[in-house]
Amino acid sequence: MPLLSLGSRWKISWDVLIIIAIFASSLVIPYRLVSGEKQAGLLYWLVTFLFIVDVAVNFHTEVKDGLVILTDRREIARYYLSSWFWVDLISALPLIPLFGWVWGPQVSVLALVRLLKLVKVPKLFRALREFVELPPALLRLFVLFFWFSLIAHVMSLGWIAIGGGEIDRPFFDRYIRALYWCITTIATIGYGDYTPNHDSNLQVIYTIAVQVIGVGMFGYIVGNVATLVVNIDAARASFYTRMEEIRNYMRVKRIPISLQNRIKNYYHYLWETRQGITDVDFFSTLPHPLRTEIALFLNKAILEKVPLFKTADEIFLREVVEELEPVVFLPGDFIIRQGQYGDCMYFLNTGQVEVLVNGKRVAILSEGSFFGEMVLIKSEKRSASVRALSYCDTYKLSRHSFERLRQKYPEFDRQISEISREREKSLEGEE
Amino acid sequence: MPLLSLGSRWKISWDVLIIIAIFASSLVIPYRLVSGEKQAGLLYWLVTFLFIVDVAVNFHTEVKDGLVILTDRREIARYYLSSWFWVDLISALPLIPLFGWVWGPQVSVLALVRLLKLVKVPKLFRALREFVELPPALLRLFVLFFWFSLIAHVMSLGWIAIGGGEIDRPFFDRYIRALYWCITTIATIGYGDYTPNHDSNLQVIYTIAVQVIGVGMFGYIVGNVATLVVNIDAARASFYTRMEEIRNYMRVKRIPISLQNRIKNYYHYLWETRQGITDVDFFSTLPHPLRTEIALFLNKAILEKVPLFKTADEIFLREVVEELEPVVFLPGDFIIRQGQYGDCMYFLNTGQVEVLVNGKRVAILSEGSFFGEMVLIKSEKRSASVRALSYCDTYKLSRHSFERLRQKYPEFDRQISEISREREKSLEGEE
Amino acid sequence: MPLLSLGSRWKISWDVLIIIAIFASSLVIPYRLVSGEKQAGLLYWLVTFLFIVDVAVNFHTEVKDGLVILTDRREIARYYLSSWFWVDLISALPLIPLFGWVWGPQVSVLALVRLLKLVKVPKLFRALREFVELPPALLRLFVLFFWFSLIAHVMSLGWIAIGGGEIDRPFFDRYIRALYWCITTIATIGYGDYTPNHDSNLQVIYTIAVQVIGVGMFGYIVGNVATLVVNIDAARASFYTRMEEIRNYMRVKRIPISLQNRIKNYYHYLWETRQGITDVDFFSTLPHPLRTEIALFLNKAILEKVPLFKTADEIFLREVVEELEPVVFLPGDFIIRQGQYGDCMYFLNTGQVEVLVNGKRVAILSEGSFFGEMVLIKSEKRSASVRALSYCDTYKLSRHSFERLRQKYPEFDRQISEISREREKSLEGEE
Amino acid sequence: MPLLSLGSRWKISWDVLIIIAIFASSLVIPYRLVSGEKQAGLLYWLVTFLFIVDVAVNFHTEVKDGLVILTDRREIARYYLSSWFWVDLISALPLIPLFGWVWGPQVSVLALVRLLKLVKVPKLFRALREFVELPPALLRLFVLFFWFSLIAHVMSLGWIAIGGGEIDRPFFDRYIRALYWCITTIATIGYGDYTPNHDSNLQVIYTIAVQVIGVGMFGYIVGNVATLVVNIDAARASFYTRMEEIRNYMRVKRIPISLQNRIKNYYHYLWETRQGITDVDFFSTLPHPLRTEIALFLNKAILEKVPLFKTADEIFLREVVEELEPVVFLPGDFIIRQGQYGDCMYFLNTGQVEVLVNGKRVAILSEGSFFGEMVLIKSEKRSASVRALSYCDTYKLSRHSFERLRQKYPEFDRQISEISREREKSLEGEE
C-alpha cells in the first residue's frame, strides 16, 4: 500500500469522513445513554470499524513534524506512536460489547470513552484549513457549528437527566422539548414556558450554568459572526472607504468631472482585476528570488523578442527582469509623448496601445509588444506617441537600470555599443 | 428605441422600480397563498406587466461583460439570452391565470414561481452600488432591510401555516400576531405570551428553527450595524485618535501651549478641508499619468504666468508639473525667510501670503501667484520673506528637479542661460 | 457687552446649560402632556427665560463660518439670522400661556413646539467636542445617553397613551411600569409580565415597532460600546500585540534573555513616556514649518551653547534644527564608542550619560549637554566613549547634513574653517 | 528580612493570594450581612490576618515610582505611607470584633469597610499584567470575571434585601433563586418566572436599574469577548487575508501552479517560524543600539570565521554588523548563480545550501557558513552557484557597504588591499 500524501484528495476525504463519524458518535452516544438504551447500535459498530481503519491509515500517511515532512514508514510509526496513537486506539475499542459480555449491559457508560476522539478534532480541522482551498471564514463557521451543536445537544440531554421539562412524554418528544428549552435560553430568548422547577435547587443551578455558558457562547458567536462579516468584506470595505476619501478630496479641490471619472474608473479597474492590491504591494512582500521568478515568467517571452536582448543569456535576462517596474495605464493615457525626452522603455503585458506620429495612428500594438527601447542606448526625443487604448499593464525598464547592467556585464556592453554605432551609421545614411 | 446606457438616470430608476416590484410580490404572493386567496389581484397583473416590459428593456440596455461594455444589440441579446433571460421570462409569466384557466384556482401555488426573480436582486443592488452616489453603508442597510423583512414575513406566514397563534381571529389579525411572535423571537425578546403548542412537535421544531436562524440573523445584523457604525466614523475616529496621541506626546515633551494650539489647528484644517487625507497620501495611490493630469489641472494657469516657463511647450510643462510637491502652510508660517539660502520656488494654489522686506510688508499675493523663482537659476540668499496669512496650499519646485529638466531639454537650458545672463547684467547695472 | 469667544469657559458653560435645559424640557413636556397636566410649570418658565437669553447670547458670540471666525457684530447677526435664529426664537416662545390665554388650557399640545430646539443638539455637542478636552469616547457616551433616554422616555409615554399596562394606578406608577416594560423590551429581556393586550391591534403593532426600533438601538449601542471599548484600548492593545510578536520572534531566534529583557524594557519606556508613538512617527505627520518650530523649541537652548554655532544667527540655527534626527538610547547603551570613526554629534535632551576614557568614567553629562561635535569638522576616531546612564532622548546631527549647510552658507563655512585651523594648530602645539 | 523584588515569584504569588482574599471577602461579607449573620466567621479572621501581613509585606517590597524603582527601605516606607498605606491599614482592621465588643453585634455593617481594599484590585491586576507572561487577552478575561461575578452577586443580594423572590424559603435557597433571577435578567434571557412585585415601586425601579446596568455590562462583555476573539486571531487572520489576496492576484495573472505553490509555502514558512513578522519589520522598530546588539549576537560567530575580518577588532565588527541585511531563501532558490556579477556576500544563519560548479554539487554548507566574500574586494563573475536546500535565513553584506567601511577605517583598508594584492598574485600564479 503506498503512502497517503498530505493534502492529497484521498487524505482530505478520509479526514472529512472521520470528522463526520466523530460528530455522529458524539450526538448518538450521549443520547442513547440518557434514553436508557443499552445495546450497541449499527452506528456504533460502523464507527468502531472506521476508527480501527483510521489507526491503520495513520500508519501509512505522511506526517508533518515541525517544518519537515516525514515520509519514511518507520519514522511515521515512531512519530505516530508517540503522539495520537493511543487516543486513536482507545477511542476505537468496542468497549460496550467487550465489557458488556462480562458485566452485562449496565456498562453502557463506557461508550463515552469513544468521545476521547473529540480531542483530535481541532487537529483535523487545522489540517483541512491548510490543504483545502476554502475561504477561512467559511471553515471557521463549520468549526463553530460543530462545537455549538454538540454543546447544545449535551446541555439538552443534561436537562432531561436532572428531570427538567415534561417527564411523561416519550423520550424523543422530551428531547425535542429540552432542545427547545436550551436554544430558547442560550439564544437569550427566554419565553419562560419551560423554566426550572422552583423546588429543585439542582435545576435552578443547572439553569444558571447553562445561562452563563450561553451568554459566553452567544457573545463568542456574535463576535465571530460579526468578525467574519467584517473580514469577508474587509477588502471591499477598505476599497470603498478609500474611494470615498478620494471623492471628497477631489470635490474640495474642484477637479473637473471628466478627470474625477477617470480616477473612479481606475479604482474600479484595480478592484476588479486584483481586488485592490497594486502590483507594487504584491511584489514588495515577496522575497527577492520569488519576485524575480514571477517577473521572469510574466516578461520572458517579450524580452526575448527585443533585439537588444537577443544575444543575452538567461543569467543576464534574470538581472534585467529584476529592474522592471510595473506601471498601469488607463484607456486614453499617453504612455509616451512625441517630443518628450524619454528615459525608459516599456513591455506591454496586457492591453492594446496605438502608435501616433503627429497625431495620426500608424500602428496598433497588443500584448507581448515592447516600445521605446532606443532611449536605453541614447536619450533622445521620442519620435512617436504611444497611447493606451484599453487598461494596460506594462513593465518599465529605465535607462538608469540599463546602464547599471551594462557596467556590470562588459561583454553585453560591447554588443550594445556595436548596435548603437550601426544604428547611428544607418541614421546618417538616412539623412 | 435608443439603447439605455449603464448608469443613466433612466436605467437606475427602472432598476429601482423592479426592486420595488419584486419586494411587493414577495410580500403579497405568500400572504395571499397562506390566507387562501386564490384569485390573482391587481398587483399581480401590474407586476406581470412590469416584468414583461423588463425583459424587453433588457434587450435594449448596455451590458457589462467583465470589463467590456457591450453596446451592439446583437451582442447584448446573445449575452442576455445566455444569462438572465430565462429567469426574467419565467418569473414574468402569469402562471395563475394561464393554468388556473385549465385546472381551476387551486394552482395558486404556481404564483410562487414569480419569486424566482429574487435571485436577480443581488445583481440589481450591485448595479445600484456602482452607479448611485450613496454612501455604501446606507445602501447596505437597504439590502439588509430588504432581506430581513422578507425572511420575517415568510417566517410569520409559516407560523400561521402550521397552526401557530390564535386560530379563531380574522386572517389579518392572525398575521399581525404571528409577525409579533416572530419579531419577539428573533429579536431575542421572547415575552412568552405566544409560544408553540407543547403538544405539537411540528410547532416546537419550527420554533427551534426560527430561533436558530434568528440568532444567526440577529448576530449578523448586530455585526453589520456595529460595522456600519464603525465605518461611518472610521475616518473621524482615526483622526481623533491621532490627535489624542499627538496631544499626549506634546504634553510629555512640555511643548508650549501656543505651539500646541497651532498644531491642533493644523489638524482641524486637515480634517475640514480633506477629511484628514494629506495631498501626499492622495497622490501616492494614483498611477503616474493621472497624477500628472491632476497636478497639471491645478497648476497650469500659474505655470504659464512664470516668466521662466513662458516659452516652454505643453510637453515640457507636463514634466515640470510632475516634479511639483504639495506643501501646506499655516497662518503665520514663514514660507521663505529673508537671508536664508533658498533651493525651491513656490506656486500658491489657495490662500494669501504677504511679502516682507526687513520685517515690513511690501505686498500681498493671492491664489495663482508664485514666488522664489530666481533660486531655480542660481542659489542665492532670499531677498524677502514670504509669510502665510491664511492656510496656504502650495506646490514646491526644487532647484534639483529644475536642473534635471534643464539637462534633459537642451533648448530650454539655452533659454534659461540667456535669461540668467541678462539678469546678471541688469544686476551689475543696478549696482 | 464684550463678545463671547468660541472655546471660552463662559461659552462652554452656557452650551452645557442649554443642553441640560433642552434635556429637561424634552423629558417634562411630553410627560405632562400625557399625564393631562395643562398648566405651565415653574420649569417651563425657567426654560423659556433661558431660551430667550440664548437668542440674545447668540447675537454676541463669535461664530465659525467654514474656516473663518466671524468677530464683527453685524456679520454675526447676519449669519445667525440666516441660520439658527428662527429655531432658537420659535422654541423660546412661551406658546402655552400666549395661546392658553386665548383658547384655554387645551392648547397644551403647543408645548411640543419647544422640542424644535432638539435639532440644535447635535451642533451643541459638536461644539463641545471641538473645544472641551474630553476623551472623544466619553463624549460619545454622553450623546448616546442623551438620545437613548429620550427615546425610551417617549416610547414609555406612547405605551401609556395607547392604553398599555395597568390603567387603574396613579400616573407616576403607570409611568414607572411603562418604562419598566419599555426597558425590558428594548434590552431584549422580555419577561412577559407586561405584554400588549391581545385584543388590541394597535398595542400589538406598537409593540412590534418598539421591538424593531429596540433591536436597532440595541445593536447600535452594543456596536458603540464595543467600538468605544476597542478604541479606548486600541493604542495599548496594539502595543501589547506588538510586544507579543516581538517576544515570539526573539524566542524563535533564541536571543539571550538579558537582551530580550532590554528590548522589553525599551518598549515599556516607549509606552510610558509617549503611549507608543516614536518621535519619528510624530514628526513625520507634521508639516515642515511646525516640525522646525518644535525642534527649535526643544533644542535651541542647547544649540546656543555649542561653540561652533555661537556666531550663527537665528536663520542658520533654524536650518540646523531641521537636520536633527531624534534617537533614543537605553540605559547602558554606548552612544559613542572610543576608537570608532564618528560621523555625527549628539544633543542630550533628557537623561544622563557618562563619559568614559579607556573604560574609566571621567565625567557625567545631564540634560542640555552635547558631545561629539568635533567630528562635524573632520572625521576622526572618537577619543572617548559616551554611555547612557538612563533612558536618553537625544538629537543627532550628522556630518553629512553639516557639510550641506556649510556649502549653502559661505560665511559660516569660513568661520568653521577658521576654528578648524586653530584647533589643528593647538593640537600640534599639544603634541 | 530581604526586600521582595518586583516581578519575583514570591511577590507575584503574594499578589495573587491577596486578590483571592479580596474576592472571597467581597463575596462573603455582603452575603452574611444580608442573611443577618452577625458573628465574624473564620474567613473573616483569616483575611484580617492576611491583610495585616500585607501591610508589613508592602514595607519590604520594591516599588516603582514612575520609571524609577525604589530599593531603599526608607524611601519605600515614605512612598507607601503617602500612597496605599491607609487603604491597606483600614481594610485590615477587624472592625466587627473591635466595635462589636462595645456596641453589640448590630455593628456588622462595619464589615463593609473591608471592601475598601477593592480599590487596590486594578493596581494588583496591572502589576500581574506587567510581570506575568500570560497572553493579555486571558488576563483581561480574569479581570472581567472578577468584576462581573461581584456585581452579579451584589445585585442578587440587593434583590433579596428589597424583598424580591420567594420570601419563605431558607436563605441559601433564596440566594440561589435571586442569582438565577439576576443572571436571567442581565443575560437578557428574561424567562419571566421571577419578576418584580407589581405593587412595589421599589422592586420595579430596582429591576429597571439592574436591566439598564445589565444591558451595559452585556454590551461591554460581548464587545470584550468579540474584541478578544478578534485579537487572539488578529495576526493569523491578517495572515490569511494577505494570502487570500496574493492567491487572487496570482490567479488573475495566470502564474503557473508550481510557482504559486512556492509562494504559498513561503508564506507558511513565514507564519510558522515568526508568526508572519519579517525580519525587516522586526529590526525597523528597534532603536539603533539594540538592532546592532541583536545582529551582533546572531552573526558574530560567523563573522569571526571570515578571513577578511580576522584582524578586525570588536568596534569594527560592530560597524560591519550594522550593515547586514536579512534575506530569506526558499528551498531550491539560487542564492548565487555562476556567471552572474556579484555585489554582496552572504552569512548563512540557519538552513543548508549546496555549492554547484557547472551544475554539479561540490559541497554542502550548513549554519554558520559564509560565501561570496571575494566580491567585496573586486566585482567579478561568480565562479560557482549556491542553492538553498532548505529554508535559509541569511544576512547579506553588500560591496557598497563594505567600501564605505574601508573609507572610514584606513588601517583596515590597508589590510584588505594587502589581501587583495596577494590574492591576485596567487591567481596569476595559478594561471
Side-chain angles (χ1 to χ4, degrees), chain A residues 67 287 289, chain C residues 248-255, chain D residues 265-266 268-275 277-280 282-283 295 298-299 302 324-331 333 335 345-353 365-371 386-397:
Chain A
L67 287 163
Chain C
N248 282 335
Y249 182 92
M250 295 194 296
R251 221 172 292 144
V252 170
K253 289 283 184 180
R254 284 191 229 99
I255 287 172
Chain D
N265 285 337
Y266 168 68
H268 271 122
Y269 172 74
L270 255 198
W271 175 251
E272 274 173 45
T273 57
R274 41 205 105 170
Q275 260 84 53
I277 317 189
T278 63
D279 304 87
V280 177
F282 176 68
F283 278 101
L298 292 172
N299 294 291
I302 314 181
L324 296 180
E325 189 194 334
V327 189
V328 171
F329 290 94
L330 284 72
D333 276 351
I335 303 175
M345 72 169 292
Y346 292 91
F347 301 92
L348 185 55
N349 222 255
T350 64
Q352 272 199 333
V353 299
L365 305 177
S366 314
E367 297 185 11
S369 307
F370 58 93
F371 43 85
V386 176
R387 191 160 62 176
L389 289 173
S390 62
Y391 285 96
C392 291
D393 287 349
T394 69
Y395 285 82
K396 179 170 127 180
L397 178 65

Side-chain angles (χ1 to χ4, degrees), chain C residues 185-216:
Chain C
T185 302
I186 65 187
T188 76
I189 295 166
Y191 284 137
D193 49 352
Y194 291 110
T195 52
N197 181 340
H198 288 185
D199 292 324
S200 158
N201 270 3
L202 181 61
Q203 285 193 23
V204 171
I205 290 169
Y206 184 80
T207 306
I208 292 177
V210 168
Q211 288 175 348
V212 169
I213 296 167
V215 170

Side-chain angles (χ1 to χ4, degrees), chain B residues 166 169 172-173 176-177 179-180 183-184 187-194 218 221-222 225-226 229-230 233 236-237 240-242 244-256 259 262-264 266-269 272-273 327-330 333-334 337-343 379 381 391, chain C residues 64 66-67 129-130 133-136 140 181 185 188-192 194-196 198-201 204-205 207-208 211-212 215-216 218-220 222-224 227 231 235 273-275 277-279 281-283 285-287 289-290 293-294 297-298 315 318-319 322 349 393 395 408-411:
Chain B
E166 299 171 58
R169 295 197 187 256
F172 177 74
D173 285 22
I176 288 291
R177 275 152 195 76
L179 185 65
Y180 163 75
I183 299 286
T184 306
T188 75
I189 295 167
Y191 284 137
D193 49 352
Y194 290 111
F218 187 71
I221 287 172
V222 167
V225 172
V229 167
V230 172
D233 251 20
R236 182 181 297 274
Y240 278 102
T241 308
R242 184 83 198 130
E244 197 62 27
E245 290 175 356
I246 297 285
R247 220 132 73 176
N248 282 336
Y249 183 91
M250 295 193 296
R251 221 173 293 144
V252 169
K253 289 284 183 180
R254 286 192 228 97
I255 287 173
L259 202 47
R262 280 172 67 76
I263 290 171
K264 277 189 236 163
Y266 168 69
Y267 275 96
H268 271 122
Y269 172 75
E272 275 173 43
T273 57
V327 189
V328 171
F329 290 94
L330 283 72
D333 276 351
F334 278 91
R337 273 172 202 273
Q338 198 176 355
Q340 208 171 21
Y341 277 89
D343 53 3
S379 175
K381 279 195 178 177
Y391 284 96
Chain C
K64 217 173 175 182
L67 286 164
R129 189 174 53 191
E130 190 164 345
E133 297 248 340
L134 278 178
R140 199 154 162 195
W181 166 82
T185 302
T188 76
I189 295 166
Y191 284 137
Y194 291 110
T195 52
H198 288 185
D199 292 324
S200 158
N201 270 3
V204 171
I205 290 169
T207 306
I208 292 177
Q211 288 175 348
V212 169
V215 170
F218 187 71
Y220 186 82
V222 167
N224 260 284
T227 307
N231 281 348
T273 57
R274 43 206 102 170
Q275 258 87 51
I277 318 189
T278 64
D279 303 87
D281 284 350
F282 176 67
F283 278 101
T285 59
L286 287 177
L290 282 178
E293 268 180 74
I294 291 173
F297 165 76
L298 292 173
I315 287 192
R318 221 163 243 283
E319 299 235 15
E322 287 179 25
N349 222 255
D393 286 350
Y395 286 82
K408 263 168 101 178
Y409 289 81
E411 316 92 278

Side-chain angles (χ1 to χ4, degrees), chain D residues 32 37-45 48 94 96-97 108 111 114:
Chain D
R32 293 173 70 98
E37 176 63 56
K38 287 186 167 47
Q39 298 302 320
L42 178 67
L43 187 85
Y44 187 83
W45 286 109
T48 304
I96 301 187
S108 61
R114 172 141 300 165

Side-chain angles (χ1 to χ4, degrees), chain A residues 53 57 78 80 92 105 110 113 201 246 264-265 334 362:
Chain A
V53 173
V57 165
R78 201 178 307 130
Y80 182 49
L110 278 174
V113 169
N201 271 1
I246 297 284
K264 276 188 239 163
N265 285 337
F334 277 91
V362 297

Side-chain angles (χ1 to χ4, degrees), chain C residues 176-177 180 191, chain D residues 158-167 174 181 194-211:
Chain C
I176 288 292
R177 276 151 195 75
Y180 164 75
Y191 284 137
Chain D
W159 181 242
I160 296 175
I162 62 168
E166 299 170 60
I167 305 179
R174 283 186 70 189
W181 165 82
Y194 290 110
T195 53
N197 182 341
H198 289 184
D199 293 324
S200 158
N201 270 3
L202 181 61
Q203 285 193 23
V204 172
I205 290 169
Y206 184 81
T207 306
I208 292 177
V210 169
Q211 289 175 347

Side-chain angles (χ1 to χ4, degrees), chain D residues 243-258:
Chain D
M243 276 204 67
E244 197 63 27
E245 290 175 356
I246 297 286
R247 219 132 74 176
N248 282 336
Y249 183 92
M250 295 194 295
R251 223 173 290 144
V252 169
K253 290 282 184 182
R254 284 191 228 100
I255 288 173
I257 294 293
S258 67

